[in-house]
Amino acid sequence: MRVTEEIVFKAIENAADGHNDSASVEKMMANKKAYASVIMDSIANGEYANHLKYRKLKKKNPNGKERNIKSPDLFTFVLQHLFLCLAWPVYNLHDNYNGLNCKKGCGITSKVPSKSIIHRLKHLMYDRRDLHYAVVIDQRKCYEHIRPKIFRKEMRRLTDDRELIEFGINVSFVDNCLPIGTPTSPYVHHVVMLRFDHWMKQAAPFSERFADDNVGATYWKSDGNALKWRIQNFWWYEYQIRAKASTIRLIPLDEKEVSFCGYIVHRNPDRGIADHNKGFTTLRQNIRARASRCKRDESWASYYGLLRHADSYNLMKKIEEKMKLRQLTEKIRINRSLDTPNINPRDLAGKQFTIYDYDIKCDSKGTPNWIKCLIGVPEVGEDENPTGCMKAFEFHGSYMYIVEFMTMAERAFGKKNMLPLEEMEIENQCGYIFKGSTNQMEYIDDGGGQTSLFTNS
């Protein structure tokens, strides 16, 4: 195990992240070089193990479940982050991303689709129509059941650095068990479960794991039953970890929904992979209830991150109206192209306006068939006199003559060269058109030599 000053500095910074308001952390950061020297000396002479300390705490989760937390002191906390700095590169060389918790860029609602639990789950329910059954299974008190000898055995499959392994055991385990609430416990669990993660990817056509929660999908019911027992045997005979019997479920995906990591995903079985409305996603009832009861903007912002990945528009709208977006909208706003109040073209009849920007969309064959225009309409005061300001509006729709005119104009002059278009007017002539943009017939040729005359309209 090679411990350099640079790695220790990184561990100190990682430990301080999010705890800068603590007096002990401020003192450590003010004397970072001296603190790093103390840590390196304690590791070199092996005395660090005698200074590891934890506080016992009890924490009640929002669902009412109580957990016994063992909170490390600052010195222990830094040593744990130091172990992670040294150990993560060893694990990453073998990671197949079956487990997605507590990893950089991964999570339930990660922005990276391939590392997002909810994205993978929607892919299973909406797109994998060939998979008809899923096994959902949890581990029973996995942290309590993982022993140092199991971790040591699995780490030896990844590295021959015995000093690193023993250092990790010393800073990660308390009374031969993994404590809840330390940064190293998820890493130790990942290392122990790595062999299972690789096995699971081969045993099931679809698999994902989030901490101790697991889901695997199969083609047939018989395969699902076999997978359920194979998983339990693997955990018990390899890790001495039991499955939580009350949570083991074999789910027919075409008939029932899958509940996983707080989300409930439903499949519409009568839809194809290329159809719309292939399914829908909701949050669990207890999470929705807590979101409805939240009274602070800070709380609502955290629930917003969950609700935006579910089909919960009405609930979001209800909470937004209740919260009135007081502090949230000061920091978070949705950027939409040409986002202004909407106006109907019929309300523009007889008014002159200026087109400042537009966006044209095409159908599947590449033919332009839809337009959205950003326009400015002169503002009129109470005395019907212009105020000199231009009120911003947008109109959009499949107005084919407007689309055709704007497309031809863009081809002839280029979008940048022709904007803004001033003194524009709209009229309804068997469809909305720009005034003067079409050749309109005025006379009919009756065969008597009368020539047809056209007038611009």
Side-chain angles (χ1 to χ4, degrees), residues 1 19 59 64 71 74 111 134 144 153 159 196 206 313 329 362 371 389 395 397 407 427 450 457:
M1 183 176 72
H19 301 86
K59 183 177 180 182
S71 175
L74 183 58
K111 295 180 180 179
E144 292 184 17
K153 181 182 74 172
T159 178
F196 169 77
F206 174 91
Y313 175 78
T329 51
C362 303
I371 190 169
C389 298
F395 68 86
T407 302
E427 57 184 6
Q450 175 86 37
S457 174

Side-chain angles (χ1 to χ4, degrees), residues 206-273:
F206 174 91
S207 169
E208 65 180 46
R209 177 177 65 83
F210 192 84
D212 58 349
D213 298 337
N214 297 262
V215 60
T218 61
Y219 300 108
W220 311 109
K221 186 176 182 179
S222 58
D223 296 336
N225 277 315
L227 181 64
K228 176 180 67 175
W229 289 106
R230 291 178 71 190
I231 291 174
Q232 294 180 74
N233 288 337
F234 193 108
W235 289 351
W236 176 247
Y237 288 108
E238 296 295 332
Y239 307 138
Q240 285 76 59
I241 295 177
R242 293 180 178 176
K244 195 183 296 182
S246 60
T247 63
I248 300 174
R249 303 184 299 280
L250 179 61
I251 302 171
L253 300 180
D254 296 328
E255 300 174 14
K256 294 185 178 180
E257 70 279 358
V258 171
S259 178
F260 194 73
C261 291
Y263 286 93
I264 302 175
V265 186
H266 306 252
R267 171 187 288 182
N268 289 337
D270 57 340
R271 296 290 193 273
I273 188 174

Side-chain angles (χ1 to χ4, degrees), residues 11-285:
I12 291 174
E13 291 170 358
N14 290 346
D17 187 27
H19 301 86
N20 293 320
D21 55 344
S22 170
S24 58
V25 172
E26 288 183 2
K27 184 178 179 181
M28 177 184 68
M29 296 304 292
N31 304 277
K32 186 164 64 172
K33 190 174 182 65
Y35 202 93
S37 297
V38 172
I39 289 176
M40 295 178 69
D41 291 342
S42 67
I43 293 174
N45 57 34
E47 292 182 355
Y48 71 90
N50 300 324
H51 302 286
L52 301 175
K53 295 180 182 179
Y54 296 86
R55 288 185 305 151
K56 293 183 178 180
L57 305 171
K58 281 193 175 181
K59 183 177 180 182
K60 194 171 184 179
N61 288 352
N63 59 8
K65 186 176 181 180
E66 276 195 356
R67 293 187 179 274
N68 294 316
I69 307 296
K70 292 183 178 178
S71 175
D73 69 351
L74 183 58
F75 179 79
T76 306
F77 196 54
V78 173
L79 288 178
Q80 290 174 345
H81 276 283
L82 176 60
F83 171 65
L84 293 179
C85 291
L86 297 168
W88 269 119
V90 176
Y91 174 84
N92 290 336
L93 293 173
H94 306 272
D95 188 13
N96 66 347
Y97 288 98
N98 184 60
L100 297 179
N101 63 295
C102 302
K103 295 179 182 177
K104 188 176 181 180
C106 302
I108 298 176
T109 59
S110 170
K111 295 180 180 179
V112 182
S114 62
K115 298 179 181 180
S116 165
I117 287 288
I118 188 60
H119 182 86
R120 288 188 182 185
L121 205 58
K122 288 180 179 180
H123 173 65
L124 166 65
M125 297 299 286
Y126 300 167
D127 302 327
R128 291 301 302 271
R129 300 279 162 166
D130 55 328
L131 301 178
H132 301 287
Y133 286 86
V135 177
V136 179
I137 184 169
D138 300 348
Q139 294 175 340
R140 180 179 177 272
K141 296 183 178 181
C142 61
Y143 280 10
E144 292 184 17
H145 292 142
I146 292 178
R147 296 291 182 262
K149 65 177 183 179
I150 299 295
F151 175 64
R152 183 183 289 111
K153 181 182 74 172
E154 298 302 326
M155 275 294 286
R156 284 179 178 175
R157 298 175 184 273
L158 306 182
T159 178
D160 57 358
D161 190 340
R162 293 178 179 270
E163 189 178 357
L164 175 64
I165 297 173
E166 296 306 317
F167 177 67
I169 291 173
N170 290 335
V171 301
S172 300
F173 287 84
V174 181
D175 299 327
N176 287 327
C177 292
L178 275 182
I180 298 174
T182 63
T184 51
S185 292
Y187 175 83
V188 172
H189 187 252
H190 276 309
V191 170
V192 170
M193 296 298 294
L194 181 59
R195 194 152 48 93
F196 169 77
D197 289 337
H198 283 275
W199 174 84
M200 193 66 178
K201 286 294 187 182
Q202 296 177 347
F206 174 91
S207 169
E208 65 180 46
R209 177 177 65 83
F210 192 84
D212 58 349
D213 298 337
N214 297 262
V215 60
T218 61
Y219 300 108
W220 311 109
K221 186 176 182 179
S222 58
D223 296 336
N225 277 315
L227 181 64
K228 176 180 67 175
W229 289 106
R230 291 178 71 190
I231 291 174
Q232 294 180 74
N233 288 337
F234 193 108
W235 289 351
W236 176 247
Y237 288 108
E238 296 295 332
Y239 307 138
Q240 285 76 59
I241 295 177
R242 293 180 178 176
K244 195 183 296 182
S246 60
T247 63
I248 300 174
R249 303 184 299 280
L250 179 61
I251 302 171
L253 300 180
D254 296 328
E255 300 174 14
K256 294 185 178 180
E257 70 279 358
V258 171
S259 178
F260 194 73
C261 291
Y263 286 93
I264 302 175
V265 186
H266 306 252
R267 171 187 288 182
N268 289 337
D270 57 340
R271 296 290 193 273
I273 188 174
D275 294 337
H276 292 288
N277 193 26
K278 294 182 288 186
F280 61 95
T281 302
T282 59
L283 281 173
R284 287 178 184 167
Q285 177 59 37

Side-chain angles (χ1 to χ4, degrees), residues 400-420:
M400 63 177 183
Y401 300 117
I402 293 178
V403 171
E404 184 178 357
F405 174 81
M406 295 298 290
T407 302
M408 294 174 63
E410 181 176 332
R411 289 173 183 169
F413 304 103
K415 185 175 180 179
K416 291 183 178 180
N417 296 327
M418 70 178 187
L419 292 179

